[in-house]
Amino acid sequence: MSDQFPIEVAIAILPYEGKFLMQLRDNIPTILYPGLWGLFGGHIEAGETPEVAVEREVLEEIGYQLKEPKKFACYSDDRVIRHIFYAPLTVDLDRLVLTEGWDFGLITPAQIEAGVAYSAIAGEERPLGIVHQQIMLDFIEWWS
């Protein structure tokens, strides 16, 4: 992986029945946002468009094929350019296979606003990553 900044990532917002599917990141101190709730997605590979990257990442992380993801926004700072897409989750959680992360779950707008959500696997409430919380608050405001 390159140490050059900014890096580009593609991230998916997955609404499902008024809630949003989020990933509890692995609780490994050497990764970004360890043990925090965030959104599914990841690095855009060389030659990939953000649209292709978000579809690939979601398929890799939960085995779900996105249905026509639409661009929501782009959030940039000096380290990361985050391309944000949204697409409805059209299957129940038991149809998904988590292959990256500690846990995943459907998070309510109230939990997003509070900045914490319970994880059965962690056995406790865990905080949302601040950047992902802000993205979700912006999306909820725009979406409603």
Side-chain angles (χ1 to χ4, degrees):
M1 184 165 73
S2 171
D3 288 331
Q4 296 178 356
F5 293 103
I7 60 169
E8 290 192 71
V9 297
I11 297 172
I13 296 172
L14 302 168
Y16 180 85
E17 298 180 357
K19 300 176 184 176
F20 301 92
L21 185 65
M22 295 186 77
Q23 173 195 52
L24 183 59
R25 294 180 55 80
D26 287 312
N27 201 20
I28 301 170
T30 56
I31 67 169
L32 283 178
Y33 314 115
L36 302 181
W37 288 102
L39 297 165
F40 289 97
H43 290 87
I44 298 171
E45 294 180 358
E48 233 179 7
T49 64
E51 293 80 5
V52 168
V54 75
E55 290 183 7
R56 175 185 52 76
E57 285 286 343
V58 170
L59 191 59
E60 288 175 1
E61 293 177 0
I62 56 173
Y64 180 65
Q65 181 64 56
L66 290 179
K67 310 288 191 257
E68 300 179 14
K70 294 175 179 54
K71 187 81 176 246
F72 166 61
C74 189
Y75 290 73
S76 299
D77 58 40
D78 58 348
R79 297 182 56 101
V80 183
I81 299 170
R82 295 174 180 88
H83 300 270
I84 314 300
F85 295 85
Y86 66 99
L89 182 64
T90 59
V91 299
D92 292 332
L93 291 189
D94 63 2
R95 302 280 310 274
L96 304 175
V97 177
L98 183 67
T99 60
E100 186 173 311
W102 190 8
D103 196 1
F104 69 126
L106 293 170
I107 310 301
T108 67
Q111 290 170 310
I112 291 166
E113 188 171 331
V116 294
Y118 183 78
S119 163
I121 290 176
E124 63 184 0
E125 285 193 330
R126 301 294 300 189
L128 273 70
I130 192 80
V131 172
H132 289 216
Q133 180 188 22
Q134 187 59 57
I135 291 168
M136 289 305 304
L137 290 171
D138 293 348
F139 181 80
I140 291 166
E141 182 180 343
W142 172 82
W143 196 43
S144 42

